[in-house]
Amino acid sequence: RKLNRITHPKILMVLIRKLLGGVFLGSCDITMADIPLLFESGKLSWLFGVTICVTVGDPAIQLHRLQKRNPELSKEECQARIDSQMALEKKAKMADIVIDNSGSLDDLNEQVEEARRDLMGRLYGIGMSLLQMLLLIGGSTSIAVSSKFYTHWQQ
């Protein structure tokens, strides 16, 4: 916690600078940030127009993937790391869009494409929040991807 109090304000400033750069100076429609502790922080969701949670329905798959990604950790250390975080089910309830990464790679690709279509509809559709409209002025909207596993998808 002491380390978090020291590092988090600096990390937050870098994040805000990068998001603002992407929103107001970028040439893309969408600006994304991968923030594993987005929901745990309780302080950052206001920065984003849409939040996406990539989750795994089966805890055994989550444990297996963490062990495979971090072979230096024991099974007990991996489980303790998972237990120290907010439950994925709770994160999924807080997210605007949920992608379930429990199935095949084809299933994941289909869900990502569906999320992309949903985002484009939100971006160019109606019913945007004030924050989203302000971000659109800069030519972009921000999206947080909250997941420890989306870049390390493995069977």
Side-chain angles (χ1 to χ4, degrees), residues 46-110:
W46 64 271
L47 287 170
F48 303 98
V50 178
T51 56
I52 299 173
C53 178
V54 180
T55 186
V56 178
D58 182 357
I61 294 173
Q62 183 181 12
L63 179 61
H64 173 74
R65 290 179 181 172
L66 182 57
Q67 287 179 286
K68 194 167 184 176
R69 190 181 75 217
N70 299 92
E72 73 281 1
L73 298 177
S74 70
K75 182 176 183 177
E76 292 76 24
E77 289 171 316
C78 288
Q79 188 62 54
R81 187 175 284 190
I82 291 169
D83 293 342
S84 73
Q85 299 171 4
M86 182 185 293
L88 290 175
E89 298 84 25
K90 189 171 181 181
K91 288 182 184 183
K93 288 179 183 174
M94 298 169 75
D96 297 306
I97 298 172
V98 177
I99 296 175
D100 182 355
N101 190 11
S102 299
S104 69
L105 187 54
D106 287 336
D107 293 338
L108 179 62
N109 284 331
E110 187 176 309

Side-chain angles (χ1 to χ4, degrees), residues 2-147:
K2 188 175 184 178
L3 179 61
N4 288 346
R5 280 193 296 271
I6 295 168
T7 59
H8 283 187
K10 292 178 183 185
I11 293 169
L12 180 59
M13 290 312 298
V14 169
L15 172 67
I16 290 173
R17 258 196 315 258
K18 290 191 177 274
L19 283 174
L20 290 175
V23 169
F24 294 106
L25 303 174
S27 60
C28 298
D29 287 338
I30 299 173
T31 299
M32 298 181 79
D34 180 7
I35 306 175
L37 299 177
L38 173 72
F39 298 114
E40 286 87 344
S41 75
K43 299 175 186 172
L44 298 176
S45 345
W46 64 271
L47 287 170
F48 303 98
V50 178
T51 56
I52 299 173
C53 178
V54 180
T55 186
V56 178
D58 182 357
I61 294 173
Q62 183 181 12
L63 179 61
H64 173 74
R65 290 179 181 172
L66 182 57
Q67 287 179 286
K68 194 167 184 176
R69 190 181 75 217
N70 299 92
E72 73 281 1
L73 298 177
S74 70
K75 182 176 183 177
E76 292 76 24
E77 289 171 316
C78 288
Q79 188 62 54
R81 187 175 284 190
I82 291 169
D83 293 342
S84 73
Q85 299 171 4
M86 182 185 293
L88 290 175
E89 298 84 25
K90 189 171 181 181
K91 288 182 184 183
K93 288 179 183 174
M94 298 169 75
D96 297 306
I97 298 172
V98 177
I99 296 175
D100 182 355
N101 190 11
S102 299
S104 69
L105 187 54
D106 287 336
D107 293 338
L108 179 62
N109 284 331
E110 187 176 309
Q111 289 182 69
V112 168
E113 177 56 27
E114 185 177 323
R116 186 196 65 77
R117 285 191 303 268
D118 184 350
L119 288 170
M120 291 298 103
R122 291 171 192 241
L123 179 62
Y124 298 111
I126 58 171
M128 292 182 223
S129 70
L130 177 60
L131 177 60
Q132 288 170 312
M133 287 188 171
L134 289 174
L135 293 172
L136 281 174
I137 292 169
S140 179
T141 190
S142 300
I143 300 161
V145 179
S146 175
S147 170

